Short mmCIF file of all heavy atoms in Angstrom, two decimals:
data_model
loop_
_atom_site.label_atom_id
_atom_site.label_comp_id
_atom_site.label_asym_id
_atom_site.label_seq_id
_atom_site.Cartn_x
_atom_site.Cartn_y
_atom_site.Cartn_z
N VAL A 263 -25.61 25.82 -22.35
CA VAL A 263 -25.57 25.77 -20.89
C VAL A 263 -26.56 24.73 -20.37
O VAL A 263 -26.22 23.93 -19.50
CB VAL A 263 -25.90 27.17 -20.30
CG1 VAL A 263 -26.04 27.09 -18.78
CG2 VAL A 263 -24.82 28.16 -20.69
N TYR A 293 -18.03 23.84 -16.43
CA TYR A 293 -18.17 24.30 -17.82
C TYR A 293 -19.43 25.14 -17.98
O TYR A 293 -19.42 26.17 -18.65
CB TYR A 293 -18.23 23.11 -18.79
CG TYR A 293 -16.96 22.31 -18.93
CD1 TYR A 293 -17.02 20.93 -19.08
CD2 TYR A 293 -15.71 22.92 -18.96
CE1 TYR A 293 -15.87 20.17 -19.23
CE2 TYR A 293 -14.55 22.16 -19.11
CZ TYR A 293 -14.64 20.79 -19.24
OH TYR A 293 -13.50 20.04 -19.40
N ALA A 294 -20.51 24.69 -17.36
CA ALA A 294 -21.78 25.43 -17.46
C ALA A 294 -21.63 26.81 -16.83
O ALA A 294 -22.11 27.81 -17.39
CB ALA A 294 -22.90 24.65 -16.77
N LEU A 295 -20.95 26.89 -15.69
CA LEU A 295 -20.75 28.19 -15.03
C LEU A 295 -19.78 29.08 -15.80
O LEU A 295 -19.88 30.31 -15.75
CB LEU A 295 -20.28 27.99 -13.59
CG LEU A 295 -21.36 27.52 -12.64
CD1 LEU A 295 -20.76 27.04 -11.32
CD2 LEU A 295 -22.39 28.63 -12.39
N GLU A 296 -18.86 28.45 -16.52
CA GLU A 296 -17.96 29.22 -17.37
C GLU A 296 -18.75 29.85 -18.52
O GLU A 296 -18.53 30.99 -18.88
CB GLU A 296 -16.89 28.27 -17.91
CG GLU A 296 -15.63 28.93 -18.42
CD GLU A 296 -14.61 27.87 -18.81
OE1 GLU A 296 -14.01 27.28 -17.89
OE2 GLU A 296 -14.42 27.65 -20.03
N ALA A 297 -19.69 29.07 -19.07
CA ALA A 297 -20.51 29.55 -20.18
C ALA A 297 -21.56 30.55 -19.71
O ALA A 297 -21.91 31.49 -20.45
CB ALA A 297 -21.20 28.37 -20.88
N ALA A 298 -22.05 30.37 -18.49
CA ALA A 298 -23.08 31.26 -17.94
C ALA A 298 -22.77 31.56 -16.48
O ALA A 298 -23.36 30.96 -15.57
CB ALA A 298 -24.46 30.63 -18.08
N PRO A 299 -21.82 32.48 -16.23
CA PRO A 299 -21.44 32.78 -14.86
C PRO A 299 -22.65 33.16 -14.00
O PRO A 299 -23.51 33.93 -14.44
CB PRO A 299 -20.47 33.96 -15.00
CG PRO A 299 -19.94 33.85 -16.40
CD PRO A 299 -21.07 33.27 -17.21
N GLY A 300 -22.70 32.58 -12.80
CA GLY A 300 -23.79 32.91 -11.90
C GLY A 300 -25.08 32.16 -12.14
O GLY A 300 -26.07 32.41 -11.44
N ASP A 301 -25.11 31.25 -13.12
CA ASP A 301 -26.35 30.50 -13.37
C ASP A 301 -26.74 29.77 -12.09
O ASP A 301 -25.97 28.95 -11.57
CB ASP A 301 -26.13 29.50 -14.51
CG ASP A 301 -27.40 28.74 -14.85
OD1 ASP A 301 -27.73 27.78 -14.11
OD2 ASP A 301 -28.06 29.12 -15.83
N PRO A 302 -27.95 30.05 -11.56
CA PRO A 302 -28.32 29.47 -10.26
C PRO A 302 -28.47 27.95 -10.27
O PRO A 302 -28.12 27.29 -9.29
CB PRO A 302 -29.64 30.16 -9.92
CG PRO A 302 -30.17 30.70 -11.21
CD PRO A 302 -28.98 30.93 -12.09
N ALA A 304 -26.86 25.80 -12.26
CA ALA A 304 -25.51 25.23 -12.34
C ALA A 304 -24.79 25.39 -11.01
O ALA A 304 -24.12 24.45 -10.54
CB ALA A 304 -24.71 25.89 -13.46
#
Side-chain angles (χ1 to χ4, degrees):
V263 172
Y293 292 143
L295 286 167
E296 200 175 285
D301 183 280

